[in-house]
Every structure is written in C-alpha cells, then in structure tokens.
Amino acid sequence: MDLALITLYIVTNIIIVIIFYRKDLGVFQAPFLVGCIGLTLMLPQLTTIYFMADYYDSGLIYKLAYTMITCNIAFAVGFGLGKKSKIPNTIRTFDLSRLQYLTLFFSFIGFLTIFIYGGGMSGAIDSVIAANIKIFAMLGLSLSLVTILRGYRNSIVYAGLVLSLIPIINYAFFIKGSRTDSLILFLNLFLFLALLLPKRQGAVKFTVLTFLLLGSVLSASITELRHFIKGASNEVEQVSFLDEFKKSFMEADVDLGMDLGNAALGIEYCYQNNSYDYGLQIWNGFVFNYVPKRLVGADIKEKITYKTEYQEIVPILTNNVTTMTGYFYAFAAFSFYGFIFFIGIGYIMGTIWARAAYSDFYRFLYFFVFTMVPAMISHGLQLFFQNLEFTLIFVYPILSIYMVKKVLNTQTPKL
C-alpha cells in the first residue's frame, strides 16, 4: 500500500509537470513549480520515510501521502479555476512613467540588508524586522523587471535593478546559501527573459527545467555547501553531488529531523490528538509578523494568538533547524480536508496570473509571489501569506498613488 501511494504521488506530479510544461510560459505557472518540487525535493524525503521503518512507523505514509497528493492536485485545480475567473471591465494598472523613483527607493531599502546580514548591524535588529526589510529587495526587483519590460529603460530603473539584486545575491550565495533566494533570483530573471524574448521561450523553458533538476541534485548537499560558503570547511571539494543525491532517497541521519519526516509525525500527532487550527494559523502568522511585542507587550501578543496543542511539538520535531512543510500546516488546519488551503492558494495565484495579462500591477504581483510557492511547500504556508499581507498592508497603499484605471478590450494578451 505504501509503495502504491508513493507511486501515485510520483505519477501525479509527473502529470502536472507535463501538462504545464506544454503550455505557453508553462514553467512559470505555479502548479509546474509544485510538481517539480514534489519530484525533486519532496520525493527523496518521502522514500526515506519508507526505507527508515525503524525510525518512522510505516503507518505514517498513508496520511502523509494522501495529504501531499490531494494538496498538489487541489493546487493545480485551484490555479485553473483562478485563470478562468471573470476579468473586470476595468482594471487598475501602473502609470510606469511615474514609478521609477519609487522602484529605486524600494531597492535601496532592500539594499540596506547587506549591513544586517553579515554586516555591522548583524544581530542588532530583530529578525522579523530584518526579514521585512529584505522583502523590499524582492519588491524592487519585481518592479524593476516589470518596468523594463514595458520599455521604461533609463539609469534610474537600472540603478534600482542593480541595488535590488545585490542583497538577494549576497544572501543566496555568500551569507547563507539560501535555496529560496537562489530560486527567487533565477525564476524572476528567467520569467523576465521569457517575456522579453518570446521567440526564445522554448530555450528558456528547457533551461528552467534543467536548472530545477540540477538544483535538486545540489540541494542534497546543502549542508556542505553552506559550510563552504561560511568558510567553516572545504568539505564541498570532496563531495560527489550525484552520490549525495542518490543517498538522499534513503537518508540515514535524521537526528535533527527531516522536513517531510517532521510533517509525517506532526500529521499523526494532530490526528491522534484532534488538534487543528481551522485556518487560524494565518492569523497567528499575522500577529507574529505585524504585532510588535515591544509596543503591546509579550503578554498581549500571546493572548491574541490562537493556541493549539500541536504548536508544542513543532520545536521538538524541528530542533529549530528543519521545517514542518506546507503539507503539515494544511493538515493541521482541516485534517483530511487540508487540500482546501491549497485550492484556495492556487485560485489566488491563477487569478493573479490571468489579470497579469492586462495589468502591470498584477504582473508585478505575480513576479513577487509566485517564487514563494516552492518555499510554501518545503517550509510552510505562512511564507506565501506573508508576502501577500506585506503587499496589502505596506506596499499597495503606496503603489495605488501610481495607478490608473484601464478599460479592457475583448482580446486576452499573454502574460
């Protein structure tokens, strides 16, 4: 039964990848990323759970595999429904001629994180504040690329692009070896190229697929790579990346936890203890990110946070090193109906994708949020909602000043 479920999971993701790879700009449609992450990052961990019967009870796979399969299918279905959602007769879009200095300003704020991460201010600023400042680099990058695509190419825009790239590259390759930041950088730049050079879309699609496959091989040696980046060792020089990738399918060392293994154990805990948050984890994430305890006090912040039993086991399972994955948080919300979360997120992404064909604002928004889909799978759903919340609370009120209403015609242009 377990092997059958693993096989079904593989087949499900292969079908999703093939369906979207064949579409125009399909490798940049969010379900394609979900399928690729499922086959490259999640699958080795799923098979590890199967092979390590002495560490993980074989009964864990049933609920975990069910959750993974239904969530991935639901995401693809939700995305398709979102793409078919009704487009309004008028839509708001940017007046890009007035947006250039704001783009430069956002990029400059993000640039300041080079003094936080690995710089003189490291450790002096709250981690949540530092993360929110870092988001501005992603905002600056997305706005710069959208502006350039529309033909507004001058020194101000290019300065904003460079300033936004520096902190992302610094964090991805020199500070932490962040897979998320590496993926954000790569996917944004290649979506930009695909839109800029539509006749080269075939080559771009193949490059993206190759990068994701190669990235999965390197990801299996992420610990060695991070130690090498930090100068802690030169182990990476002796690492056989392909051998490490092969071994990742039946990993022997999970003392600090394994992301999907944590999810399996967490799902079982929620099921046995009937511990669910019914979607209020979104509220908890909002409180964590935007209710400063320095102003309201730690007691008030704790009182307005929704408490569940499963919150107590998360630090025990992860050892504050690994993660719980988005699949766990989906199950922790609605049990076997956790796919509701994924169909909702997929619908949001599909709606943004459809409207990006008409509006530079939605195009910017898609650039900004679709790169978080892999992190949503591997780390947690809150990473996706955090970007949306940040945009709505802090960014949209400013961006609205630079928007105009656009009357739509009946023809649907491409993204």
Side-chain angles (χ1 to χ4, degrees):
M1 182 63 177
D2 289 346
L3 283 176
L5 286 169
I6 293 174
T7 302
L8 181 59
Y9 176 72
I10 294 171
V11 171
T12 298
N13 285 289
I14 289 175
I15 291 173
I16 291 173
V17 167
I18 291 174
I19 288 174
F20 283 90
Y21 186 83
R22 297 173 64 180
K23 295 178 182 291
D24 287 343
L25 297 171
V27 297
F28 301 106
Q29 295 186 41
F32 177 84
L33 296 181
V34 170
C36 280
I37 293 301
L39 292 171
T40 57
L41 188 61
M42 295 289 104
L43 180 58
Q45 298 185 45
L46 184 59
T47 57
T48 292
I49 296 172
Y50 174 78
F51 285 115
M52 291 195 64
D54 57 334
Y55 191 93
Y56 295 108
D57 187 287
S58 61
L60 296 174
I61 288 184
Y62 174 77
K63 299 182 191 69
L64 175 64
Y66 166 85
T67 302
M68 296 169 74
I69 293 167
T70 56
C71 284
N72 284 14
I73 292 174
F75 188 88
V77 170
F79 188 85
L81 293 174
K83 285 172 63 176
K84 295 178 181 178
S85 61
K86 184 179 179 181
I87 305 296
N89 294 327
T90 60
I91 198 168
R92 302 198 77 190
T93 189
F94 288 136
D95 177 0
L96 290 173
S97 63
R98 300 192 298 124
L99 194 64
Q100 300 164 51
Y101 287 102
L102 180 65
T103 301
L104 180 63
F105 177 67
F106 281 170
S107 298
F108 176 74
I109 294 176
F111 174 78
L112 295 177
T113 58
I114 66 170
F115 302 106
I116 299 174
Y117 294 107
M121 298 170 64
S122 180
I125 294 181
D126 182 276
S127 60
V128 175
I129 297 175
N132 284 333
I133 294 175
K134 184 168 166 286
I135 287 178
F136 278 98
M138 295 165 56
L139 289 168
L141 175 62
S142 300
L143 283 171
S144 297
L145 295 178
V146 168
T147 303
I148 293 171
L149 282 172
R150 288 302 189 198
Y152 292 89
R153 302 166 187 175
N154 54 44
S155 58
I156 299 171
V157 176
Y158 287 125
L161 177 61
V162 171
L163 283 177
S164 68
L165 286 172
I166 290 173
I168 297 175
I169 293 173
N170 182 54
Y171 193 74
F173 301 111
F174 300 105
I175 298 298
K176 189 180 179 182
S178 169
R179 289 172 290 185
T180 298
D181 283 71
S182 301
L183 202 57
I184 288 171
L185 178 64
F186 176 86
L187 289 175
N188 268 296
L189 292 180
F190 272 85
L191 176 55
F192 169 77
L193 287 176
L195 294 171
L196 184 67
L197 306 169
K199 294 182 179 180
R200 298 282 186 252
Q201 187 182 144
V204 172
K205 287 169 65 174
F206 180 77
T207 303
V208 170
L209 180 61
T210 303
F211 172 84
L212 292 173
L213 293 175
L214 179 62
S216 69
V217 175
L218 296 178
S219 181
S221 304
I222 189 63
T223 301
E224 290 81 4
L225 288 168
R226 284 172 173 168
H227 287 165
F228 180 75
I229 288 171
K230 294 179 179 180
S233 73
N234 61 353
E235 290 180 16
V236 71
E237 297 174 2
Q238 289 83 40
V239 170
S240 171
F241 296 115
L242 188 57
D243 287 344
E244 291 297 315
F245 180 64
K246 292 177 181 177
K247 287 193 296 183
S248 70
F249 283 84
M250 39 188 170
E251 182 62 58
D253 183 11
V254 290
D255 291 340
L256 293 177
M258 178 183 67
D259 300 338
L260 206 55
N262 300 341
L265 295 169
I267 286 172
E268 185 65 23
Y269 179 91
C270 289
Y271 178 75
Q272 295 295 338
N273 293 275
N274 197 33
S275 176
Y276 304 107
D277 62 45
Y278 308 104
L280 287 173
Q281 57 186 263
I282 301 175
W283 168 253
N284 287 350
F286 177 84
V287 171
F288 178 80
N289 287 315
Y290 305 116
V291 179
K293 63 182 179 183
R294 288 185 177 88
L295 294 180
V296 303
D299 290 341
I300 293 179
K301 185 168 184 175
E302 185 176 350
K303 286 179 180 178
I304 62 175
T305 300
Y306 180 75
K307 301 293 190 304
T308 61
E309 291 181 22
Y310 77 72
Q311 290 174 313
E312 299 176 1
I313 69 160
V314 169
I316 297 173
L317 293 176
T318 63
N319 289 286
N320 294 315
V321 175
T322 51
T323 71
M324 295 297 293
T325 79
Y327 297 120
F328 163 73
Y329 289 106
F331 190 92
F334 302 114
S335 185
F336 289 104
Y337 298 96
F339 58 83
I340 292 173
F341 246 137
F342 274 71
I343 200 169
I345 295 173
Y347 185 85
I348 292 171
M349 292 299 301
T351 301
I352 296 173
W353 172 273
R355 297 188 180 198
Y358 301 95
S359 165
D360 287 319
F361 167 71
Y362 283 100
R363 178 178 285 197
F364 145 75
L365 190 59
Y366 194 81
F367 266 95
F368 183 53
V369 298
F370 95 106
T371 53
M372 297 308 296
V373 169
M376 175 192 81
I377 298 292
S378 63
H379 287 63
L381 303 178
Q382 185 55 39
L383 290 174
F384 172 81
F385 289 110
Q386 177 181 330
N387 272 26
L388 279 184
E389 291 164 357
F390 191 88
T391 303
L392 292 173
I393 296 171
F394 297 108
V395 182
Y396 184 79
I398 300 173
L399 291 179
S400 63
I401 300 172
Y402 299 86
M403 290 188 198
V404 295
K405 285 187 176 181
K406 177 181 179 182
V407 179
L408 304 184
N409 56 38
T410 58
Q411 300 298 316
T412 304
K414 294 181 180 179
L415 176 70

